[in-house]
């Protein structure tokens, strides 16, 4: 996202904050819909990193109503009607909470969505470096990882985004066989 400086100031070429938010949400919806289409016939659960206000969680549960969606976040900010059941909600640092489920869920996640970006790009870079191997442990072969920050993992192949995503930075990967 070249229009945002490290201090969070918006470059005039990026448009207003409203226009930026609209572009981000349009891209996010297009990528989520595309990812859901890629995994629809595959068995497995869904991993949502970053509940936030539950917009993407709600979107995923409507698109994949028969799937278990495991949600991870530091704390809950979502309206009560959109908070996952306690057995599907893991609160705390992603690095710690993901480690608690690896043994039980290894290889069972078909779609992982990580909406974890902040205005602190350096902190985000350190976080994704720690998260990629943890997410990889959970992913099934052929699964899809969708994220708002670029991640690197040796068995992930970057996929093109759907045209509807526009010019917002989002990243989609297919998990290759072990």
């Amino acid at each position: 996202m070249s229009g945002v400086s490290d201090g969070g100031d918006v470059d005039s070429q990026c448009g207003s904050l409203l226009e930026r938010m609209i572009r981000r949400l349009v891209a996010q919806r297009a990528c989520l819909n595309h990812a859901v289409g890629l995994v629809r016939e595959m068995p497995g659960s869904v991993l949502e990193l970053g509940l936030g206000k539950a917009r993407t969680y709600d979107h995923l549960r409507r698109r994949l109503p028969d799937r278990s969606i495991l949600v991870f976040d530091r704390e809950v900010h979502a309206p009560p009607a959109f908070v996952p059941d306690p057995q599907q909600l893991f609160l705390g640092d992603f690095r710690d909470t993901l480690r608690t489920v690896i043994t039980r869920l290894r290889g069972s996640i078909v779609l992982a969505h990580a909406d974890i970006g902040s205005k602190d790009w350096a902190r985000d870079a350190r976080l994704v470096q720690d998260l990629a191997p943890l997410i990889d442990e959970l992913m099934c072969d052929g699964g899809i990882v969708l994220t708002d920050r670029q991640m690197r993992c040796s068995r992930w192949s970057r996929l093109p985004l759907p045209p509807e995503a526009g010019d917002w930075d989002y990243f989609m990967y297919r998990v290759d066989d072990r």
Side-chain angles (χ1 to χ4, degrees):
M1 217 173 355
S2 60
V4 177
S5 70
D6 290 339
D9 298 326
V10 178
D11 180 311
S12 63
Q13 295 176 342
C14 292
S16 71
L17 291 175
L18 176 61
E19 291 166 328
R20 289 175 43 74
M21 175 63 77
I22 290 168
R23 286 185 15 241
R24 181 175 76 85
L25 293 176
V26 165
Q28 193 173 55
R29 181 185 61 197
C31 291
L32 285 166
N33 288 344
H34 184 67
V36 164
L38 293 173
V39 303
R40 187 168 302 280
E41 301 302 320
M42 297 173 62
S45 297
V46 175
L47 178 73
E48 173 78 333
L49 290 177
L51 177 62
K53 296 193 181 358
R55 287 182 290 258
T56 59
Y57 168 69
D58 183 51
H59 192 75
L60 286 168
R61 72 182 184 168
R62 290 169 186 265
R63 296 293 184 272
L64 296 167
D66 298 329
R67 301 285 178 127
S68 172
I69 302 176
L70 307 168
V71 180
F72 294 74
D73 209 333
R74 231 177 233 294
E75 53 196 24
V76 174
H77 295 283
F82 298 98
V83 175
D85 293 333
Q87 65 272 18
Q88 294 182 301
L89 179 62
F90 301 84
L91 298 177
D93 186 287
F94 293 135
R95 291 165 282 225
D96 298 331
T97 53
L98 284 173
R99 283 185 183 98
T100 68
V101 299
I102 286 178
T103 301
R104 181 169 52 100
L105 299 173
R106 181 174 278 121
S108 69
I109 302 297
V110 69
L111 172 60
H113 176 240
D115 187 2
I116 57 172
S118 72
K119 293 178 182 176
D120 186 340
W121 288 81
R123 184 188 66 85
D124 292 351
R126 290 187 302 273
L127 179 62
V128 298
Q129 186 176 359
D130 293 341
L131 291 183
L134 298 173
I135 293 170
D136 186 57
E137 284 288 321
L138 296 169
M139 297 302 297
C140 68
D141 294 342
I144 300 295
V145 176
L146 181 61
T147 180
D148 65 342
R149 293 292 183 255
Q150 187 170 11
M151 292 189 180
R152 295 198 192 325
C153 192
S154 62
R155 71 182 190 120
W156 298 1
S157 301
R158 186 145 178 211
L159 298 176
L161 300 181
E164 305 84 38
D167 63 352
W168 194 263
D169 282 342
Y170 231 77
F171 305 90
M172 187 177 304
Y173 307 92
R174 179 177 310 281
V175 179
D176 299 325
D177 295 347
R178 293 189 193 270

